[in-house]
Amino acid sequence: MTGGRGHGGGHGRGLLPGRVQFAAHLAGALTPARPPAAAATGAGREGWAPLPRRAVRARPSGRGLPGRAKWALRAASLLVPLAAWLVIGGAQLVEETFLPSPAAVWAAFTEMLADGRLVSDTLASLGRVGAGFGLAVLISVPLGFVMGMSAAGQALFEPGVGLLRYMPASAFIPLLIIWLGLGEASKVAILVIGVVFFNTLMTADVVRKVPGELRQAAATLGATSGEIVRKVVWPHALPGILDAMRVNAAAAWNLVVVAELVAAESGLGYRIVRAQRFLQTDTIFAVLVVIGLIGLCIDVLLRVLRDRVGRWSA
Amino acid sequence: MTLALRDVGKEYGRLRVLDGIDLTVAPGEFVCIVGASGSGKSTLLSLIAGLAPATRGTVTLDGEPVTGPGPERGLVFQSGALFPFLTVAENVAFGLRLLPLPRADRAARVEWYLREVGLLPLAGALPKELSGGQRQRVAIARALACEPSVLLLDEPFGALDVQTKEDMQLFLRQVWLDTGTTVLMVTHDVEEAVLLAQRVIVLGCDPGRVAAEVPVTLPAERPLEIKRTAGFHALRSTVEDLVRANMSTR
Ligand SMILES: Nc1ncnc2c1ncn2[C@@H]1O[C@H](COP(=O)(O)OP(=O)(O)OP(=O)(O)O)[C@@H](O)[C@H]1O
Ligand SMILES: [Mg+2]
């Protein structure tokens, strides 16, 4: 285009005169010897200094980390605090009642393990989580499907669930004790309240994200509405539902301990309250570590399950 | 099987997308619909597939009015819309599994269609492991396995590179010759339409209507080289001019 002046390309007949006019308009007093097209693009740019280039750049793919370095960092994230604890505890910088030494915590742990309290407390807490979380999942997954698949379901449940979600479950504890007493029912109920609303909304989101095209494709292949739910929406949503469950299992595990702190005769939370009464901080520490480790195990289990089920997604 | 549209119209609120569409597709025909973007090609196909209701007129298959989606009107999407959690073979088997078929019969059918589309070695692969062309082959096999009276395709090769696209065009034509299935395909690629179809329908815009119909007077044997012949060029120009003349003026 640069050299052609109205008689160049065969297909430019209608285009060039206009461009020449446009160029002349833009170029103003520029030397008439310049090819018009070049004048059009070159008008203001002539005087600009070269655009500076920045020396620092982002690395969009992130910094790669060799496997060994990754493991070293993972180990450090646990070992450094542990070492600090050993040093501070060992040097008796803080009174033993406030910060027990690792040795004292270990002793408390083995003692609880030996007399069976640890096992029975852990089973009590796990049993409550199993019942409460399980019930919440049984309610929230179908409810989430209804909300995710039908506009009516969405309109009916979204406001209520959305509001209840913002009420802290732990604030229901006094109410539930009045309603259901101090037994297991109130603890299971608190877990259901703490999990069901979040899990419902998260499930509904996952279900809503199933591409409509897949449902349409299934329909054109002869699937009924029920078959679309079972054979398309369910398998497509399952990994996302497991993700939601993983997040909410952590919440449930936290909440059961809170509930046991308030009112219980067994469980890991109850063990902490007991220990507090006798200023047994070493026992409290040991129970906290156990709570953390069990939570981690639940998370890893759910993650393994999710990765198996979701192998198909990129 | 005869697909017939009589005075079909479609409105979205106040937007008139299609108006007064009359169209008949005879058994075994290969018909292409071309038209500018926004002329309502996809809308027309979804009416025929039964995914959306027409606001006026009737769509019938062998005299039976179309009221919803069904396997006798198989639809292939531009994206393929494969079920990502199923293997290639399971995708092809999807429609068959909904029917009371003996297991061996179903397996034999799946194998036949996988062989037909050249994907038998990839039967156990997941969609994420396939190339774009392979995905479309699975989508076509999946629809064909239900033995549709008419195979509907909405720009099935629009997202493919030129070489793969040519491969797939020859492939589709071969499938049509092999199976005798009636094919109604939407495309914006005029060359593709002329290469494949026996008849090209040009859709005009605002609202979408049948603006012209061009019979493709080329021999049944259509290797890629046919694109270089004068007859092909002439047809292609005719259709291109018609599409351009019926573009939206807005
Ligand atoms: N669900 C919908 N709601 C409202 N308007 C719609 C809907 N679907 C399509 N339309 C409108 O209908 C018109 C035709 O759309 P359609 O997708 O059928 O065109 P098309 O010919 O397939 O275009 P393209 O070649 O770009 O795919 C467009 O103006 C579009 O905005
Ligand atoms: Mg379209």
Side-chain angles (χ1 to χ4, degrees):
Chain A
M1 221 31 163
T2 323
R5 277 197 221 173
H7 53 264
H11 52 269
R13 218 171 293 151
L15 190 64
L16 263 174
R19 268 190 89 155
V20 173
Q21 271 182 12
F22 176 61
H25 169 71
L26 259 187
L30 274 180
T31 71
R34 292 176 60 89
T41 52
R45 302 179 66 195
E46 288 293 288
W48 296 348
L51 204 60
R53 299 267 177 238
R54 303 180 65 189
V56 185
R57 310 277 170 112
R59 300 185 207 194
S61 51
R63 278 154 225 245
L65 197 60
R68 214 181 297 163
K70 204 183 286 178
W71 279 108
L73 287 174
R74 281 174 182 161
S77 85
L78 290 177
L79 290 179
V80 169
L82 191 66
W85 183 20
L86 272 169
V87 170
I88 297 171
Q92 302 278 316
L93 292 176
V94 184
E95 203 182 324
E96 181 86 346
T97 336
F98 291 125
L99 184 69
S101 69
V105 171
W106 179 252
F109 172 77
T110 48
E111 194 196 320
M112 277 192 295
L113 196 61
D115 65 17
R117 272 180 302 166
L118 190 58
V119 175
S120 64
D121 283 334
T122 302
L123 288 179
S125 294
L126 279 178
R128 286 169 190 146
V129 168
F133 183 70
L135 201 58
V137 168
L138 285 182
I139 298 169
S140 60
V141 169
L143 195 57
F145 261 76
V146 171
M147 280 176 63
M149 295 210 53
S150 91
Q154 164 100 352
L156 183 60
F157 295 117
E158 177 103 67
V161 174
L163 177 69
L164 285 164
R165 171 175 66 146
Y166 280 104
M167 301 185 183
S170 40
F172 278 86
I173 294 176
L175 196 58
L176 287 169
I177 290 176
I178 294 172
W179 283 347
L180 300 170
L182 289 167
E184 292 304 305
S186 60
K187 265 146 233 106
V188 172
I190 199 74
L191 283 171
V192 171
I193 289 175
V195 171
V196 80
F197 305 118
F198 278 95
N199 212 52
T200 298
L201 292 173
M202 289 164 88
T203 302
D205 264 346
V206 171
V207 168
R208 226 170 278 134
K209 284 203 183 95
V210 177
E213 226 171 48
L214 293 186
R215 286 192 259 161
Q216 295 183 336
T220 64
L221 291 166
T224 61
S225 304
E227 283 164 343
I228 292 174
V229 173
R230 273 184 288 121
K231 289 170 169 272
V232 178
V233 180
W234 169 253
H236 198 280
L238 190 54
I241 291 175
L242 285 171
D243 274 335
M245 280 172 60
R246 200 155 70 85
V247 171
N248 291 319
W253 186 237
N254 286 342
L255 203 54
V256 76
V257 175
V258 172
E260 290 167 352
L261 287 176
V262 178
E265 272 80 55
S266 62
L268 292 168
Y270 164 74
R271 191 56 54 203
I272 288 179
V273 178
R274 282 283 303 226
Q276 182 213 11
R277 254 174 241 158
F278 302 101
L279 286 180
Q280 293 164 340
T281 36
D282 46 3
T283 303
I284 296 182
F285 265 67
V287 173
L288 281 176
V289 172
V290 168
I291 288 172
L293 289 177
I294 292 174
L296 198 62
C297 287
I298 295 175
D299 194 71
V300 168
L301 275 177
L302 279 171
R303 193 180 339 202
V304 167
L305 184 65
R306 187 246 179 263
D307 286 349
R308 277 193 86 91
V309 167
R311 224 176 326 189
W312 52 268
S313 62
Chain B
M1 102 85 223
T2 304
L3 177 70
L5 282 72
R6 289 289 160 262
D7 193 29
V8 166
K10 177 71 182 173
E11 282 153 37
Y12 285 112
R14 292 183 53 210
L15 179 69
R16 263 221 252 138
V17 179
L18 294 172
D19 194 30
I21 303 266
D22 279 305
L23 176 67
T24 307
V25 182
E29 251 195 313
F30 196 136
V31 177
C32 274
I33 299 175
V34 297
S37 182
S39 53
K41 306 184 294 294
S42 298
T43 305
L44 180 59
L45 222 51
S46 66
L47 294 186
I48 299 171
L51 293 173
T55 33
R56 197 153 58 77
T58 54
V59 180
T60 55
L61 191 65
D62 281 331
E64 288 288 312
V66 165
T67 53
E72 68 285 353
R73 285 157 288 120
L75 177 61
V76 175
F77 296 78
Q78 179 171 358
S79 68
L82 299 185
F83 303 115
F85 44 86
L86 297 181
T87 64
V88 166
E90 288 166 341
N91 265 282
V92 175
F94 188 91
L96 299 175
R97 274 179 203 272
L98 306 171
L99 304 171
L101 276 183
R103 185 186 288 262
D105 187 0
R106 188 174 70 214
R109 284 163 189 265
V110 169
E111 189 182 326
W112 193 91
Y113 285 102
L114 282 177
R115 197 187 306 272
E116 173 72 14
V117 300
L119 286 178
L120 203 49
L122 287 172
L126 285 169
K128 68 170 179 181
E129 297 160 340
L130 302 181
S131 71
Q134 289 167 338
R135 253 174 246 178
Q136 288 311 79
R137 285 170 188 258
V138 178
I140 290 170
R142 183 177 68 177
L144 281 176
C146 296
E147 298 186 357
S149 306
V150 56
L151 181 66
L152 309 168
L153 304 108
D154 191 358
E155 302 199 22
F157 313 141
L160 304 179
D161 62 273
V162 179
Q163 286 76 28
T164 311
K165 191 172 186 169
E166 286 183 339
D167 270 2
M168 294 295 293
Q169 289 165 349
L170 293 182
F171 154 76
L172 180 61
R173 179 126 179 127
Q174 193 57 49
V175 167
W176 174 63
L177 292 170
D178 288 352
T179 61
T181 307
T182 314
V183 178
L184 180 60
M185 171 165 158
V186 157
T187 175
H188 58 241
D189 183 342
V190 171
E191 186 177 272
E192 176 170 274
V194 173
L195 178 68
L196 294 177
Q198 297 173 299
R199 196 149 61 94
V200 177
I201 311 278
V202 178
L203 227 53
C205 291
D206 303 324
R209 71 218 131 70
V210 176
E213 192 181 312
V214 181
V216 179
T217 49
L218 293 172
E221 189 69 30
R222 295 186 196 171
L224 285 177
E225 293 74 46
I226 205 169
K227 290 193 203 170
R228 305 203 189 108
T229 62
F232 189 91
H233 276 295
L235 272 168
R236 183 181 151 167
S237 308
T238 307
V239 178
E240 275 173 358
D241 290 345
L242 284 167
V243 170
R244 200 159 277 284
N246 288 288
M247 266 171 64
S248 172
T249 45
R250 275 188 288 200

